[in-house]
Amino acid sequence: MKALSQKRRHPLAAIALLLMGLLLTGGLYAVATTVNQAKADTTSYSASDVEEGGKLFAANCATCHGMGASGTNDGPSLVGVGAAAVDFQVGTGRMPMQMSGPQAQKKPAQFNEEQTKQLAAYVASLGAGPAIPEEKLLDGKGDAANGGELFRVNCAMCHNAAAAGGALTRGKFAPGLAGVTEAHIYEAMATGPQNMPVFNDSNITPEDKRDIITFLKTIEANGSPGGAELGSLGPVSEGLFVWVAGLGVIIAFTIWLTSRTS
C-alpha cells in the first residue's frame, strides 16, 4: 500500500493524468463534431453520382487538389469540405480557376447542373461536411428586419451595408451580393470561401441564414428609391460627386462669363 501511495504521488503522475484527460476530451470533441457534420449532410447521392463525380474530379480537379482530393502544393485538401463548398465554388465558376491570383474570380460555370451535383456527391463521399441547403431555407420568406441586423453585425464590414462589396488587403475583395442565388449565399455562409469566415450553425442558425437571405433579396428588389446609387458607398462618394459636379459648374460658368465680357 505504501509503494502504491508513493507511485500515486510521483511528479509524473499528474502530467500523465493531464495528458490522458486532454486526449479523452479531444477525442470526444472530434467524435461529436463528426456526428454533427454527418447529420447536417442529409442529401442522398446515388453510387452512380459518386462514380461519375470521381471521373470528373480526376479529369478536371486532381491536378491541383490531388487524387482522392488529398491536396497538393497547388490546392488544399477537399476531404470534409462537404457538398455545399463544391456547389458554391463550381456553381459560381470560381473552380476550376481560370488563372492564379489573390483569389478565385467568378466566371461562367464550366460544368452544368448535373455535373456539379456529381462533383459534389464525390467530394461529400470523402468526408462529412456542410450539405447543400434545403429549399425551405431559400424561399426568401424569413424576417428581413432580423436578417438586416445580422448582416450589419456580421457581414457589412466587408460586403458594405448595402451589400455592394468592398476592397480588402493584398488585392482581395468582398464581392457584391446582387444577383447571387439564394443557395450560393447560404453556402458561402456555411463554408467560408476565399477570405470569408465560416458561419456554422452554432454562429448563425439556419433560420438566421434564411433571414439574411431574405434581407439581401429585399434590398435587391427595392433598388434605389432615392435616385442614383453611386456605388452604394455612402456619403463619401455622394460628397465627392457633389464637389466635382459643383466645381465643374463653377468653372463652366466662369469660362462662359469671361468669354461674354471679352
Side-chain angles (χ1 to χ4, degrees):
M1 291 296 292
K2 184 177 180 181
L4 182 60
S5 177
Q6 288 177 344
K7 288 181 180 180
R8 287 178 178 174
R9 291 196 298 268
H10 195 282
L12 295 179
I15 297 176
L17 287 173
L18 179 61
L19 289 175
M20 289 177 61
L22 289 173
L23 288 173
L24 181 60
T25 303
L28 290 174
Y29 176 80
V31 170
T33 302
T34 303
V35 170
N36 287 336
Q37 289 178 335
K39 287 181 178 179
D41 195 346
T42 56
T43 306
S44 59
Y45 298 103
S46 66
S48 174
D49 286 335
V50 175
E51 181 181 359
E52 291 301 318
K55 294 177 183 177
L56 288 170
F57 187 92
N60 298 277
C61 314
T63 303
C64 293
H65 293 287
M67 296 303 295
S70 57
T72 68
N73 292 333
D74 298 317
S77 169
L78 301 182
V79 177
V81 301
V86 178
D87 190 66
F88 174 84
Q89 297 285 3
V90 176
T92 61
R94 288 178 167 85
M95 290 292 162
M97 287 184 70
Q98 189 174 42
M99 58 183 291
S100 297
Q103 68 184 56
Q105 301 283 341
K106 182 179 180 180
K107 64 183 188 301
Q110 179 175 326
F111 300 99
N112 60 35
E113 187 175 341
E114 181 65 20
Q115 291 171 324
T116 301
K117 176 186 175 183
Q118 291 168 346
L119 280 168
Y122 171 70
V123 172
S125 72
L126 302 176
I132 295 173
E134 301 175 9
E135 288 296 328
K136 66 180 182 180
L137 298 172
L138 311 175
D139 58 7
K141 297 180 180 179
D143 185 344
N146 181 54
E149 182 177 353
L150 289 168
F151 183 86
R152 288 186 289 273
V153 170
N154 296 282
C155 317
M157 64 286 294
C158 293
H159 288 284
N160 177 286
L168 302 174
T169 59
R170 301 180 182 274
K172 301 173 183 178
F173 63 93
L177 302 180
V180 181
T181 67
E182 292 85 349
H184 289 157
I185 293 173
Y186 191 105
E187 290 163 352
M189 288 187 280
T191 63
Q194 310 295 333
N195 303 285
M196 185 171 171
V198 175
F199 295 104
N200 59 35
D201 291 349
S202 298
N203 302 128
I204 300 179
T205 66
E207 290 73 22
D208 285 340
K209 289 184 177 73
R210 179 193 184 205
D211 291 345
I212 291 175
I213 293 171
T214 301
F215 165 73
L216 291 173
K217 290 306 173 183
T218 298
I219 62 173
E220 182 180 339
N222 288 342
S224 179
E229 294 181 355
L230 300 179
S232 296
L233 298 179
V236 174
S237 61
E238 295 166 0
L240 180 62
F241 175 79
V242 172
W243 174 261
V244 172
L247 190 61
V249 170
I250 293 173
I251 293 173
F253 180 75
T254 302
I255 294 173
W256 175 81
L257 189 62
T258 54
S259 66
R260 294 277 295 179
T261 56
S262 62

